[in-house]
Amino acid sequence: MNESNLRQLMSLVAEGSVDIDDAVEQLKSGPFRTDATGFATPDFHRRLRLGLSEVVYGEHKTAEQILEIVAQLSQNETPVLITRLNEDQQSALSDAFPGGRANEAARTYVVHPPEPRAPVEGEPYVAIVSAGTSDFPVVEEAAEVCVASDVAFERISDVGVAGPHRLASRLPILQRAAAIVVAAGMDGALPSVIGGMVGRPVIGVPTSIGYGASFGGLAALLTMLNSCAPGVTVTNIDNGFSAAVAACNIVRCAKDTAARAAC
């Protein structure tokens, strides 16, 4: 159940079409369920609170555990995102939920996926930027979060500081975005460049791309944390997921503000 469903239910109660006991039962079977397996307690209320259902982190779980958790969370055709999957886990999900959306590069699967949304005029959206092609898996993980969240997004690929002129033609896309996710390895300088050029929230994602002294993304992480561009925020190494969740929250806030202003 999402906020729209809840508002509809409350309206039906208010007009007398649904009595209070029936409404309570619907809520018990929806966001306020407290079902538990022997190894997990799914959070059915998270979509109502945060706008995105509980995301299932695939690493260190068996395929059977993932399938059981997802079967519960995806009832009523609720979109569910599963991250950090291996090939066997992804195959099991494809077999159990054949209508889902697999992304091998991102290592994700979305059950009951909304259609990916491109930006339309006047609508807030997320821009997802990569410094290099090697950052592609992190960009794709961020993109799949936007898909599962039903948030419009635009990718901008391979515009790192080795050729900063490549960024110039993309500035209008960045300037219209509500939030910008920037994935960069090596020296991790791209978020600082964008943060100094565009007055939008910039969320840097250091990636584990680079030669030995990059230390698996640590060099990029420290660069981003020491950015002299004001307002750049930073997630953990390779964490396109958290960056996109934050960006989608910013989009939702922008939409809520616009809706209240229109009232």
Side-chain angles (χ1 to χ4, degrees), residues 150-213:
D150 199 25
V151 167
F153 65 97
E154 183 86 37
R155 296 182 187 87
I156 299 175
S157 301
D158 194 25
V159 291
V161 298
H165 61 285
R166 297 174 295 180
L167 194 60
S169 65
R170 273 65 167 218
L171 284 177
I173 297 173
L174 299 176
Q175 289 164 341
R176 291 192 297 267
I180 305 169
V181 173
V182 186
M186 299 286 190
D187 55 4
L190 185 59
S192 292
V193 174
I194 292 176
M197 299 178 73
V198 180
R200 292 290 185 267
V202 175
I203 306 164
V205 187
T207 68
S208 53
I209 300 301
Y211 296 102

Side-chain angles (χ1 to χ4, degrees), residues 47 77-80 101 110-117 144 146-151:
R47 189 180 185 207
E77 298 191 352
T78 299
V80 179
R101 175 184 170 90
V110 184
V111 175
H112 304 310
E115 285 295 319
R117 296 181 57 197
E144 293 303 313
C146 293
V147 171
S149 301
D150 199 25
V151 167

Side-chain angles (χ1 to χ4, degrees), residues 9 89 109 127 200:
L9 177 61
Q89 292 167 333
Y109 196 85
R200 292 290 185 267

Side-chain angles (χ1 to χ4, degrees), residues 116-126 151-154 176-178 255:
R117 296 181 57 197
V120 298
E121 185 69 28
E123 179 186 26
Y125 63 90
V126 176
V151 167
F153 65 97
E154 183 86 37
R176 291 192 297 267
K255 286 184 174 181

Side-chain angles (χ1 to χ4, degrees), residues 21 189 230:
D21 289 338

